[in-house]
Amino acid sequence: MTAPTKLAIMKYGCLLVLLIGTSAVSAKTSPSLALKPALVTQSPSALSLPATADLDSITRGVAHTTKSFLEKTRGGDDAEEVGVAAGRLKVGSYFAIWYILNIVYNILNKKYLNIIPAPLTVGSLQFLVGSLYALTLWTTRLRAAPVLTSKGKTAVNKVGFYHMSGQELSMMSLGAGPVSFTHIVKALEPFFSAVVSAVIFGKWMHPVVYATLIPVVGGVAYACLKERSFSWLAFWTAMGSNLAFALRAVVSKSALDASGGELGENLTSVNLFGVVTIMAFIQSIPLFLLGEGLSFIDLWKKALSNHSSLYLVRGLVLSGLFHYLNNEVMYLALSNVHPVTLAVGNTMKRVFIVVASVLVFNNPISVQAAIGSVIGIGGVLLYSLTKQHYEELEKKRMEEEATMAGKPNRLGRGKK
């Protein structure tokens, strides 16, 4: 990557981070996007899709079959436990498919960026591939096309900006350094998610839960300290990506939890991501034109000296499809879990990405980076377990208060 290109990327990367921060402050005062209480499960109507052979249909079918099997083998007893088990299987399936698709995407993406080092343009073209995929499903009626209200358009526009910013910043980071380094830094995403949920949307957790984020931050910092592949450009763009994706998750969750059709019709989790991708593509056009201009054409011509045009086009289309599909499954997972839980799962996913990138690209990781990564990821696990513990205590406390409120007083009357 040439010095002028690095300078342009750094300049527009800083601009993106500034815009994200400004947008986050405005989100705090936006009533239409206030974070609603996270739901563990989504109502069937909110996630219903046409009968197509997509990933959601497959995972829902597997969960339904397993539930039926368990009900038969247990004689129909413990129906609630069976339903919980089937729900966990469905969510687990989403996470497994998401991990596989994301690993393949990261490998394809890095290979393509090594050939054509134009992260902003490549990222925008990946948005275009995803947009065409979603539009094809809607025009062929394989999925019911979403219809947005004015409030829905505002929400989608904001989510699209966060999605575009996070992806473009990730592309800059991947283009400036190894895949392993970028994903070590991006292990901080739960920290950003917790901060965004608390500061921007007023959703606070127990202080002990926040304390468990200390090893996460410390582990990542130790891993980056004196790392042989350290790059300030890769570091800060990855940090900016963490902030953008944290904002995307909590604002998207608000949109998914919106009831009564206030944002529009047919706004399922996968349709939401479809319109978000289209908005992200539109918003990314001026960014890559300003940041890289027509240099992509020169880089493409240079790449043709070693690769055929078919190989380059196929690589771009495949990376775009895998980017879209892995994020679509992520939205399916988000519709069933809390944004912070998704951030934790996202961090655990990075373990597999780092290992896969080391095997494929032979990028060595220092002992210090390995130790720091283990500490950081261990902190994420501790954070997840601690958060779950205090949420269960809070749930029990609320149930006890509800029970006490319903008990009759000495006169035999319930409390008002």
Side-chain angles (χ1 to χ4, degrees), residues 228-371:
R228 68 186 68 179
S229 58
F230 183 86
S231 163
W232 280 113
L233 177 58
F235 176 80
W236 285 115
T237 49
M239 292 287 280
S241 174
N242 282 336
L243 175 60
F245 282 143
L247 287 163
R248 180 192 67 176
V250 291
V251 176
S252 295
K253 185 64 177 178
S254 298
L256 287 171
D257 289 345
S259 58
E262 63 182 51
L263 299 183
E265 299 177 1
N266 300 323
L267 200 62
T268 60
S269 54
V270 289
N271 276 347
L272 173 62
F273 180 65
V275 291
V276 163
T277 299
I278 294 173
M279 290 305 303
F281 168 65
I282 295 172
Q283 294 176 11
S284 69
I285 294 174
L287 183 67
F288 84 79
L289 288 177
L290 289 172
E292 294 170 350
L294 300 178
S295 62
F296 178 78
I297 298 176
D298 296 330
L299 292 170
W300 181 275
K301 291 178 179 178
K302 184 178 179 180
L304 287 175
S305 61
N306 297 317
H307 304 279
S308 66
S309 58
L310 177 61
Y311 177 86
L312 296 177
V313 172
R314 183 178 60 189
L316 179 62
V317 171
L318 285 176
S319 65
L321 279 176
F322 274 99
H323 171 256
Y324 184 89
L325 291 174
N326 102 81
N327 278 280
E328 182 177 88
V329 178
M330 181 272 294
Y331 264 72
L332 289 171
L334 177 61
S335 66
N336 289 270
V337 298
H338 190 277
V340 177
T341 304
L342 185 80
V344 172
N346 207 13
T347 299
M348 300 304 293
K349 172 199 69 180
R350 302 194 192 286
V351 178
F352 299 97
I353 295 175
V354 169
V355 172
S357 68
V358 170
L359 294 175
V360 173
F361 298 107
N362 295 319
N363 292 324
I365 296 180
S366 65
V367 175
Q368 180 172 321
I371 294 173

Side-chain angles (χ1 to χ4, degrees), residues 39 116 133 161 163 270 280 322 366 401:
L39 303 178
I116 303 180
Y133 174 82
F161 172 74
H163 180 55
V270 289
F322 274 99
S366 65
E401 288 182 355

Side-chain angles (χ1 to χ4, degrees), residues 10 21 37 44 123 127 129 150 183 199-200 221 242 276 366 371 416:
M10 186 175 297
F127 287 141
V129 172
S150 58
H183 285 280
V199 177
I200 306 299
N242 282 336
V276 163
S366 65
I371 294 173
K416 299 294 182 182

